[in-house]
Amino acid sequence: MSLTKEFMLIFVFLGSFTPFCCGAPTAVRGEILHFIGDPDKRAENYQYWNDGLLVVDKGKILDLGDAENLLNKYPNIHITQYPDSLIMPGFIDTHVHYPQVEMIAAFGEQLLEWLNRYTFPTESKYSDMEYARCGARFFLSELLRNGTTTALVFGTVHKTSVDAFFEQAEALNMRMIAGKVLMDRNARKDLLDTPKSAYADSKELIMRWHKKGRLLYAITPRFAFTSSAEQLAMAGKLAQEYNDVFIHTHLSENIDEVALVKSLFPARKGYLDVYHHAGLVRERSVFAHGVQLTDKEFKTLAEADAAISFCPTSNLFLGSGLFNLPKAEQYGVHVGIGSDVGAGTSLSTFRSLNEAYKIMQLQKKKLSPFKAFYLATLGGARSLHLDNFIGNFEKDKEADFIVIDLKATPLIDYRLRNSSTLFDRLFALMMLADDRAIKATYIAGKLTRPFEGPDGLIYTNQCHQNNLEQTTSVGIKLNNNN
Ligand code: GUN
Ligand code: ZN
């Protein structure tokens, strides 16, 4: 089957799972939870209904409340019932690399060696549009399977990687932010651009994709180690020309990295100052990690209204360190949760929250489940300055939501039977749940999973087979039996 035909089949197929869309309002009924503010600031900053009704119209939230009461207002509405489930806003992943999904779980290295040994060889494959399309499709399907409805995404240095990604995200109508990586030094030659080409290519991609439907663009210098001062200045110039695009990069992740950046930019006061000097620290700037930040840098980030993506599974996997969430909060820095796959070890936000809790424990601090799920939803939306559109169920927001299966595994079911408070039930989910607990994901009011066709195949299968026929950059020759 040609790929074009295959794509068409996919969308026809997805279309067949779409009771929600464009006609009359429809609703889902079940346990409902969403956040209206930071629960650490005010305990009442969430709303919960044991038997709730979420009413959707034209892809947006129309109404929300107690089912018995609301049913009088909408007597003839089509309702999908979700017993033994919790309905929540979709998860927001504030930092992830889609081309790295195929090299997740690469053994043995810390950041700089890991980049050279595993990441760069993998990313070099994304110059090929068809290859990038397959990777993008697999990634987006995995996001949906994990209940992630919005992500801030790194492509590779190749324009093709971003075109392929946005093309696929647009077809699914997902609210996605992505950008072409800028890197003009300290990496293999085939992954380098120049300040001039980086500027021109990014500009072209902004014009093509920024604000197209639900898509948004992020100027994406990889990190200060792989960009010259000239390239960062070009990126800053572009950011000034397009004030409403995002800026997305890495910052102060690893001790050796911080030392290298210091040696490369001796005139700057520190790592963040390198970006600040280039005009890259502002509203809608999102910095992944920030594990090694100084107090002064936290203060600068807060003053600029910039955000940090806290990437728990990645920080532990690469041995980077323990992010100081209480300090970020003390300074008033926006924080969202990032999977940072492929350094992160899971696309499941439950897994990120699980590891976030342990990172806090190691610092003798607590992360309440209310705060954790806030960070993964409204907190993430706020850190991206997208809380006017997504993050909770306020009227007229985009209806991206998930249905969590409270009986997803025997252990979850067993544990929840022994639980009597919402706090405890959420904490059990935060510790025990993963992709198996996502029963359904709705994008703009439309059910977009499960993807399984009548033959039981997930729709990414064909592409996955193609990928498996290649030697992976993790160095193992895979075949279809593996
Ligand atoms: N710093 C620069 N590039 C990367 C990357 O791809 N992943 C992580 N975790 N850190 C980085
Ligand atoms: Zn990253």
Side-chain angles (χ1 to χ4, degrees), residues 224 249-252 258 261 268-282 285 287 293-294 296-302 304 306:
T249 188
H250 297 92
L251 170 69
S252 296
V258 175
V261 169
R268 302 277 65 88
K269 288 196 268 297
Y271 197 156
L272 184 64
D273 190 45
V274 173
Y275 295 139
H276 199 259
H277 183 76
L280 294 169
V281 184
R282 60 145 160 87
S285 294
F287 298 96
L293 288 174
T294 63
K296 193 150 187 310
E297 288 175 318
F298 275 117
K299 188 162 175 273
T300 305
L301 287 171

Side-chain angles (χ1 to χ4, degrees), residues 171-440:
L172 290 163
N173 192 28
M174 293 175 82
R175 177 142 313 267
M176 284 287 149
I177 316 160
K180 179 205 112 69
V181 170
L182 317 182
M183 48 200 284
D184 65 347
R185 63 173 170 175
N186 291 326
R188 44 192 273 173
K189 268 212 180 88
D190 64 321
L191 286 183
L192 296 184
D193 56 11
T194 66
K196 212 169 147 198
S197 74
Y199 176 88
D201 287 354
S202 302
K203 193 166 183 154
E204 186 187 323
L205 289 165
I206 290 170
M207 313 260 258
R208 182 142 69 240
W209 295 109
H210 185 56
K211 294 194 166 167
K212 184 158 191 230
R214 303 184 74 199
L215 307 175
L216 297 162
Y217 194 82
I219 298 168
T220 310
R222 175 165 225 122
F223 64 155
F225 180 59
T226 48
S227 283
S228 64
E230 190 193 350
Q231 180 168 71
L232 294 175
M234 284 289 227
K237 178 169 161 344
L238 192 60
Q240 207 167 27
E241 282 170 42
Y242 295 94
N243 192 45
D244 62 351
V245 303
F246 289 77
I247 296 163
H248 184 199
T249 188
H250 297 92
L251 170 69
S252 296
E253 176 177 6
N254 165 292
I255 290 175
D256 295 343
E257 171 212 13
V258 175
L260 271 173
V261 169
K262 208 172 185 166
S263 70
L264 284 173
F265 296 88
R268 302 277 65 88
K269 288 196 268 297
Y271 197 156
L272 184 64
D273 190 45
V274 173
Y275 295 139
H276 199 259
H277 183 76
L280 294 169
V281 184
R282 60 145 160 87
E283 216 180 78
R284 280 183 296 281
S285 294
V286 181
F287 298 96
H289 308 299
V291 172
Q292 320 289 346
L293 288 174
T294 63
D295 282 54
K296 193 150 187 310
E297 288 175 318
F298 275 117
K299 188 162 175 273
T300 305
L301 287 171
E303 283 165 1
D305 216 3
I308 295 176
S309 176
F310 172 22
C311 304
T313 73
S314 166
N315 294 162
L316 294 176
F317 181 72
L318 290 181
S320 302
L322 307 176
F323 177 64
N324 195 336
L325 177 61
K327 184 161 274 185
E329 307 239 286
Q330 176 197 322
Y331 281 99
V333 182
H334 298 290
V335 176
I337 299 290
S339 70
D340 193 29
V341 163
T345 50
S346 176
L347 286 167
S348 171
T349 293
F350 294 116
R351 291 276 165 112
S352 289
L353 300 182
N354 171 316
E355 304 285 305
Y357 177 80
K358 295 168 189 169
I359 286 174
M360 295 284 275
Q361 280 282 50
L362 285 166
Q363 300 174 91
K364 308 238 174 307
K365 299 279 185 334
K366 293 190 198 328
L367 177 62
S368 87
F370 287 114
K371 178 67 175 222
F373 284 102
Y374 161 78
L375 288 175
T377 55
L378 183 61
R382 285 180 169 177
S383 71
L384 299 176
H385 291 266
L386 287 178
D387 48 312
N388 280 340
F389 300 97
I390 53 172
N392 67 8
F393 294 146
E394 274 165 19
K395 190 171 183 315
D396 293 330
K397 285 200 186 175
E398 296 163 359
D400 292 344
F401 59 93
I402 56 176
V403 182
I404 299 170
D405 182 356
L406 301 176
K407 292 183 183 293
T409 68
L411 181 59
I412 290 173
D413 183 21
Y414 189 53
R415 172 66 175 80
L416 293 183
R417 280 169 203 259
N418 287 291
S419 184
S420 56
T421 65
L422 180 61
F423 182 100
D424 185 57
R425 282 166 4 110
L426 287 176
F427 185 61
L429 284 174
M430 171 177 161
M431 288 298 115
L432 302 175
D434 55 27
D435 55 335
R436 292 168 295 177
I438 302 297
K439 190 182 276 178

